[in-house]
Amino acid sequence: MPHVLLIEDDASVRDGMELVLRRHGYGVETAATGEQALALLAGERGARVELAVLDLMLPGMDGFEVCRRIRARAPKLPVIMLTARGDDRDIVTGLEAGADDYVVKPVTAPVLEARIRAALRRAEPYPRQGPEGRGPDADRTDHAGLVIDRAGLTVTKHGAALALPPTELRVLLELSASPGRVLTRDQLLASVWDHTFLGDSRLVDAAVGRLRAKIEDVPARPRYVQTVRGFGYRFGPL
């Protein structure tokens, strides 16, 4: 049974969402503030949390800072942020802080549950490429010092391990599966986020930006993940 950490200061909203999630078979931990959430994640109860649903408008420490601290402590924990206003600036800032996805309140139970299921799927092992039995290095490729191990789901750069959250790792794996091929934002939304409706290119652009910050020497002049204006992204390296 997947365990979700629900971080929401409005008691009525929190109780309603908790009830919905429990009815769908999720275990739920709750926190009314960012401070409570971070303390919970640092304790024994935090060990079983597999996903966080985070309201941006929290008392005290706001959701943006909470997301940054979650990313620093648990880089592989999926985070879905809740925003009441749907303000573009808030959404972009939240995604840049490390959120994997977002929903605008008020959110219906089917939409929230679908986004949670999709986020949990992104955290699952990536499917192996090609036939089995091809040798120990068949899924390990070296791209000018950036080594991607598709079987072990690890990425290193010049021998140093990179901690990539599931969404960023999936974007890299999708792009690097066919070097030189351009993938549109819609293709990446469908394959990485499983969004076949209500697609939002900001999810893709923010994830690519975070990925570049980790894998590129100079993110503003990327070697590995290049923008093809008007189309999408392709994997190099140049």
Side-chain angles (χ1 to χ4, degrees):
M1 179 173 63
H3 269 71
V4 174
L5 171 58
L6 176 58
I7 311 165
E8 166 64 63
D9 66 309
D10 187 315
S12 61
V13 173
R14 187 174 65 247
D15 292 346
M17 294 177 69
E18 179 181 4
L19 180 61
V20 165
L21 292 173
R22 290 193 183 279
R23 284 178 174 174
H24 281 84
Y26 295 94
V28 182
E29 303 285 349
T30 63
T33 67
E35 291 84 353
Q36 289 178 6
L38 294 172
L40 187 149
L41 286 172
E44 292 184 5
R45 291 160 60 197
R48 59 185 179 179
V49 171
E50 298 171 58
L51 178 141
V53 178
L54 169 65
D55 185 22
L56 289 182
M57 305 305 292
L58 295 171
M61 186 187 301
D62 66 26
F64 304 113
E65 181 60 24
V66 175
C67 188
R68 293 186 191 98
R69 296 195 184 196
I70 289 176
R71 274 285 158 262
R73 294 185 181 191
K76 295 184 181 294
L77 183 71
V79 177
I80 298 175
M81 66 180 182
L82 300 174
T83 174
R85 295 192 299 266
D87 184 276
D88 285 353
R89 191 164 37 195
D90 281 355
I91 290 169
V92 170
T93 303
L95 293 173
E96 289 176 347
D100 298 281
D101 201 351
Y102 75 92
V103 291
V104 177
K105 295 191 297 185
V107 57
T108 64
V111 169
L112 178 61
E113 208 270 328
R115 295 295 181 90
I116 288 174
R117 280 190 282 108
L120 290 172
R121 281 196 297 272
R122 288 196 296 276
E124 293 173 353
Y126 195 78
R128 291 176 59 87
Q129 303 294 311
E132 299 287 346
R134 297 178 300 156
D137 296 325
D139 289 309
R140 186 176 180 275
T141 53
D142 188 335
H143 305 274
L146 185 72
V147 178
I148 302 171
D149 186 339
R150 309 181 81 83
L153 296 179
T154 60
V155 179
T156 61
K157 183 176 180 182
H158 303 311
L162 303 180
L164 298 182
T167 297
E168 294 164 37
L169 177 60
R170 293 255 170 180
V171 169
L172 179 59
L173 292 174
E174 287 291 334
L175 289 169
S176 64
S178 302
R181 177 190 173 197
V182 177
L183 294 181
T184 67
R185 290 171 174 83
D186 285 343
Q187 287 174 315
L188 288 168
L189 278 168
S191 59
V192 176
W193 282 265
D194 197 20
H195 283 198
T196 55
F197 57 93
L198 296 177
D200 189 337
S201 64
R202 289 173 296 190
L203 293 169
V204 180
D205 294 340
V208 168
R210 299 194 308 263
L211 176 63
R212 282 173 170 165
K214 297 179 177 72
I215 69 172
E216 303 285 358
D217 292 328
V218 183
R221 298 197 300 274
R223 290 186 65 202
Y224 298 106
V225 178
Q226 300 128 33
T227 301
V228 181
R229 295 192 182 279
F231 293 93
Y233 297 99
R234 71 179 168 212
F235 183 79
L238 292 175

